[in-house]
Amino acid sequence: MTTMKKPATSPGVLEPVPGILDIEPYVGGRAAAPGAQRVFKLSSNESPLGPSPKALEAYRAAAGQLANYPEGSSRLLREAIARVHGLDAERIICGNGSDELLHLITQVYCRPGDEVLYSEHAFLVYRIAALAASAVPVVAPEPRRIVDIDAMIARMGPRTRIVFLANPNNPTGSYLKKGEVKRLLDALPGHALLVIDAAYAEYVDEGDYESGLGLASANPQVIFTRTFSKIYALAGLRAGWLYAAPEIVGHLNRARGPFNVSVPAQAAAAAAVEDRAHVAQSKAHNDKWLSWLTHEIRALGFQVDDSVCNFLLIHFGHEAGKTADDADRFLMARGLILRGVRNYGLPDALRLTVGTEEANRLVVAALADFVKARP
Ligand SMILES: *Cc1c(COP(=O)(O)O)cnc(C)c1O
């Protein structure tokens, strides 16, 4: 964790509620590489193929309706999601990105001092959402960059209110098998919710993986979230959704902003989810280049974790001139922007998003030169 001094509030300025000043503001993946002629943004797990042409068409068509408020429940989008995934549309809530939904869940269920549990290298938004709700973040250690279910269970207690699990997880790229998630759920106290964030579910083929849909369908203590920001390539639009028991949906909808998903976001996301051919194409691109990148970068001598997502974690050494920061500067000078993950507790690694063929080949060539370069 980065250590940031808690800022003091000036005289006359109102103090925010407990937790707010403990939040280190979220910093997204960098987008600029000063001095480089061409830039390849491989820092935020965005899709290199871009959105479905049908989504873009729907987005443009929505321009004619901007004077009117959106339909507040995102009905057409919920129905499209329900059709594609075989779900009950009444149990879906759409959000302005899944981030909004993660915040909504903590806001609705956490009382001040309640505990929010997650794993050491989990997505940073869980900590932010917990602190923003004046809840107490509880972190389970993760020795091998795979969520340790026993460590999570050991930290569940009478104050546990929400357990966040990204499956698969960002930035590690690792996933939990169905049986492991079930074990976590079996140990969940009756006064707690398990939130399964499956932002990368579409990329996973492993037969022992379950995105959480089945668990959320059958168990009122499970909420499952998905996003249009990753395989659907609509990160700039902001759309995500959750699936939960009807009563939970009723609680969350009471606190949700009444028009939280914009007209263009509802229209484009609905077109995107129905375009299964485009999703399959994006998946095939990722399958091919994820395994190529993993193989090539390992062949250069780097440790690369197994990933089931659209990114991978590359580990660097401590030798002067060969650290993750050195590699980051070296790649940046060539316009290759990766993501440093120090604030995820991984100071010796960089996260690389699978890019276009051109970007992927440039990264491997640059890392080969970095290996050869004298410090
Ligand atoms: C990218 C990502 C999301 C998506 O967030 P949005 O707000 O929907 O863009 C959610 N969870 C994880 C773990 C992610 O990496």
Side-chain angles (χ1 to χ4, degrees):
M1 284 290 134
T2 45
T3 45
M4 217 178 76
K5 245 181 80 222
K6 197 162 155 173
T9 305
S10 310
V13 174
L14 203 63
E15 282 269 352
V17 297
I20 298 295
L21 292 180
D22 296 316
I23 297 172
E24 297 103 31
Y26 185 88
V27 180
R30 296 158 300 173
Q37 293 194 329
R38 288 184 66 202
V39 167
F40 297 88
K41 184 173 187 280
L42 305 166
S43 56
S44 296
N45 301 342
E46 293 142 337
S47 167
L49 299 194
S52 153
K54 291 174 183 156
L56 292 177
E57 202 178 303
Y59 175 81
R60 290 192 190 99
Q65 302 162 50
L66 294 186
N68 297 332
Y69 278 101
E71 191 283 308
S73 80
S74 300
R75 184 176 58 81
L76 294 179
L77 174 55
R78 286 186 296 108
E79 287 173 358
I81 294 166
R83 258 193 312 278
V84 167
H85 293 283
L87 298 173
D88 176 358
E90 297 302 314
R91 294 179 59 175
I92 296 172
I93 298 178
C94 296
N96 182 37
S98 49
D99 273 9
E100 185 200 15
L101 300 171
L102 300 173
H103 278 274
L104 181 64
I105 295 164
T106 38
Q107 182 203 331
V108 167
Y109 290 104
C110 288
R111 298 155 303 197
D114 278 348
E115 293 178 356
V116 172
L117 173 64
Y118 52 85
S119 192
E120 186 180 355
H121 304 304
F123 192 41
L124 285 177
V125 167
Y126 309 152
R127 174 180 164 82
I128 295 174
L131 289 169
S134 300
V136 178
V138 175
V139 181
E142 197 180 320
R144 285 177 301 280
R145 294 185 299 281
I146 297 176
V147 174
D148 179 339
I149 293 296
D150 293 309
M152 295 278 280
I153 292 173
R155 280 157 187 80
M156 290 174 179
R159 300 302 308 256
T160 307
R161 214 43 190 164
I162 294 176
V163 178
F164 279 116
L165 177 71
N167 195 26
N169 184 46
N170 167 23
T172 55
S174 60
Y175 76 102
L176 281 185
K177 296 176 181 168
K178 200 190 285 191
E180 289 284 276
V181 180
K182 185 70 179 28
R183 213 153 63 76
L184 185 67
L185 182 57
D186 288 344
L188 191 73
H191 47 76
L193 286 170
L194 172 62
V195 179
I196 303 178
D197 173 354
Y200 301 92
E202 294 87 352
Y203 293 107
V204 189
D205 283 323
E206 274 65 13
D208 53 8
Y209 171 75
E210 210 256 22
S211 66
L213 263 187
L215 291 175
S217 301
N219 191 313
Q221 280 181 276
V222 179
I223 303 180
F224 164 86
T225 66
R226 296 282 278 262
T227 183
F228 285 95
S229 301
K230 303 292 154 58
I231 205 162
Y232 292 103
L234 294 171
L237 195 60
R238 314 303 302 128
W241 56 281
L242 64 73
Y243 199 67
E247 276 183 270
I248 302 272
V249 166
H251 303 163
L252 296 172
N253 269 333
R254 284 175 165 79
R256 178 177 62 78
F259 307 107
N260 63 328
V261 186
S262 72
V263 169
Q266 290 187 29
V273 76
E274 305 253 31
D275 189 351
R276 301 320 292 168
H278 187 76
V279 173
Q281 208 184 335
S282 304
K283 167 81 166 63
H285 175 91
N286 195 67
D287 286 348
K288 174 176 174 184
W289 291 103
L290 180 73
S291 66
W292 185 83
L293 283 165
T294 306
H295 179 265
E296 296 291 318
I297 297 171
R298 281 181 183 160
L300 294 172
F302 295 101
Q303 185 194 336
V304 178
D305 290 350
D306 286 326
S307 168
V308 296
C309 299
N310 66 338
F311 57 84
L312 38 85
L313 203 56
I314 310 168
H315 299 273
F316 295 84
H318 291 123
E319 195 193 334
K322 296 292 173 194
T323 65
D325 289 341
D326 296 320
D328 190 33
R329 273 191 294 276
F330 191 93
L331 294 162
M332 202 67 161
R334 296 187 181 196
L336 301 166
I337 310 178
L338 277 65
R339 178 70 161 263
V341 281
R342 186 180 303 276
N343 50 355
Y344 283 92
L346 298 163
D348 301 325
L350 293 178
R351 192 190 68 194
L352 167 67
T353 303
V354 174
T356 58
E357 171 169 358
E358 182 188 16
N360 299 334
R361 291 193 185 278
L362 287 171
V363 167
V364 169
L367 285 172
D369 290 345
F370 177 69
V371 169
K372 283 185 240 141
R374 290 189 168 275

